[in-house]
Protein backbone atom coordinates (compact mmCIF):
# COMPACT_ATOMS: atom_id res chain seq x y z
CA UNK A 1 0.00 0.00 0.00
CA UNK A 2 2.86 2.35 0.83
CA UNK A 3 4.46 2.10 -2.66
CA UNK A 4 1.10 2.93 -4.25
CA UNK A 5 0.77 6.00 -2.05
CA UNK A 6 4.29 7.16 -2.98
CA UNK A 7 3.60 6.55 -6.67
CA UNK A 8 0.32 8.49 -6.43
CA UNK A 9 2.06 11.42 -4.62
CA UNK A 10 4.86 11.49 -7.21
CA UNK A 11 2.34 11.53 -10.05
CA UNK A 12 0.35 14.27 -8.38
CA UNK A 13 3.43 16.45 -7.85
CA UNK A 14 4.67 15.84 -11.39
CA UNK A 15 1.36 17.14 -12.71
CA UNK A 16 1.77 20.39 -10.79
CA UNK A 17 5.18 21.21 -12.22
CA UNK A 18 5.10 22.96 -15.56
CA UNK A 19 7.68 24.53 -17.80
CA UNK A 20 7.13 27.43 -20.12
CA UNK A 21 9.22 27.98 -23.22
CA UNK A 22 7.71 31.26 -24.34
CA UNK A 23 10.09 34.02 -25.29
CA UNK A 24 10.47 37.09 -23.12
CA UNK A 25 8.76 40.26 -24.36
CA UNK A 26 10.78 42.07 -26.98
CA UNK A 27 12.54 45.31 -26.16
CA UNK A 28 10.80 48.51 -27.28
CA UNK A 29 11.78 49.98 -30.64
CA UNK A 30 13.76 52.99 -29.40
CA UNK A 31 14.24 54.37 -32.91
CA UNK A 32 10.53 55.02 -33.33
CA UNK A 33 9.58 56.17 -29.81
CA UNK A 34 10.31 59.86 -30.55
CA UNK A 35 8.80 59.83 -34.02
CA UNK A 36 6.00 62.36 -34.28
CA UNK A 37 6.34 63.56 -30.67
CA UNK A 38 7.27 67.13 -31.67
CA UNK A 39 4.17 67.40 -33.87
CA UNK A 40 2.11 66.00 -30.99
CA UNK A 41 3.63 68.63 -28.67
CA UNK A 42 2.89 71.39 -31.20
CA UNK A 43 -0.73 70.23 -31.42
CA UNK A 44 -1.00 70.14 -27.62
CA UNK A 45 0.43 73.65 -27.15
CA UNK A 46 -1.66 75.14 -29.96
CA UNK A 47 -1.40 78.88 -30.54
CA UNK A 48 0.63 79.46 -27.35
CA UNK A 49 3.61 77.67 -28.93
CA UNK A 50 6.32 75.41 -27.56
CA UNK A 51 8.48 76.64 -24.68
CA UNK A 52 10.67 73.51 -24.47
CA UNK A 53 10.69 70.17 -26.22
CA UNK A 54 12.97 67.17 -25.88
CA UNK A 55 12.68 63.50 -26.67
CA UNK A 56 15.41 60.95 -26.02
CA UNK A 57 15.13 57.20 -26.34
CA UNK A 58 18.05 54.86 -25.82
CA UNK A 59 18.38 51.31 -24.53
CA UNK A 60 20.67 52.35 -21.65
CA UNK A 61 18.71 55.48 -20.71
CA UNK A 62 15.11 54.49 -21.44
CA UNK A 63 12.53 56.95 -22.75
CA UNK A 64 12.52 60.62 -21.74
CA UNK A 65 9.95 63.00 -23.23
CA UNK A 66 9.29 66.64 -22.34
CA UNK A 67 6.79 69.04 -23.85
CA UNK A 68 6.36 72.43 -22.22
CA UNK A 69 4.08 75.08 -23.66
CA UNK A 70 4.59 78.84 -23.49
CA UNK A 71 2.38 80.75 -21.13
CA UNK A 72 -0.20 82.84 -23.02
CA UNK A 73 1.13 86.37 -23.60
CA UNK A 74 4.78 85.40 -23.00
CA UNK A 75 7.38 85.94 -25.73
CA UNK A 76 10.89 84.57 -25.86
Amino acid sequence: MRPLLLLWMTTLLAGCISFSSTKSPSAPDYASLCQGKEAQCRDTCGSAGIQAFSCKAAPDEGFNYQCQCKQPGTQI
Side-chain angles (χ1 to χ4, degrees):
M1 177 104 168
R2 191 172 196 183
L4 279 174
L5 182 61
L6 288 174
L7 180 64
W8 179 79
M9 291 293 287
T10 305
T11 305
L12 180 65
L13 288 175
C16 294
I17 299 171
S18 64
F19 296 95
S20 178
S21 64
T22 59
K23 293 181 181 180
S24 62
S26 62
D29 181 13
Y30 288 100
S32 67
L33 284 175
C34 287
Q35 237 175 7
K37 293 294 183 190
E38 188 172 4
Q40 181 182 1
C41 182
R42 206 176 300 121
D43 289 345
T44 300
C45 291
S47 62
I50 297 173
Q51 173 80 28
F53 170 81
S54 69
C55 186
K56 296 176 186 175
D60 296 337
E61 299 172 15
F63 178 66
N64 186 359
Y65 169 73
Q66 177 190 11
C67 175
Q68 186 177 12
C69 302
K70 293 179 184 176
Q71 296 295 323
T74 305
Q75 291 185 354
I76 293 179

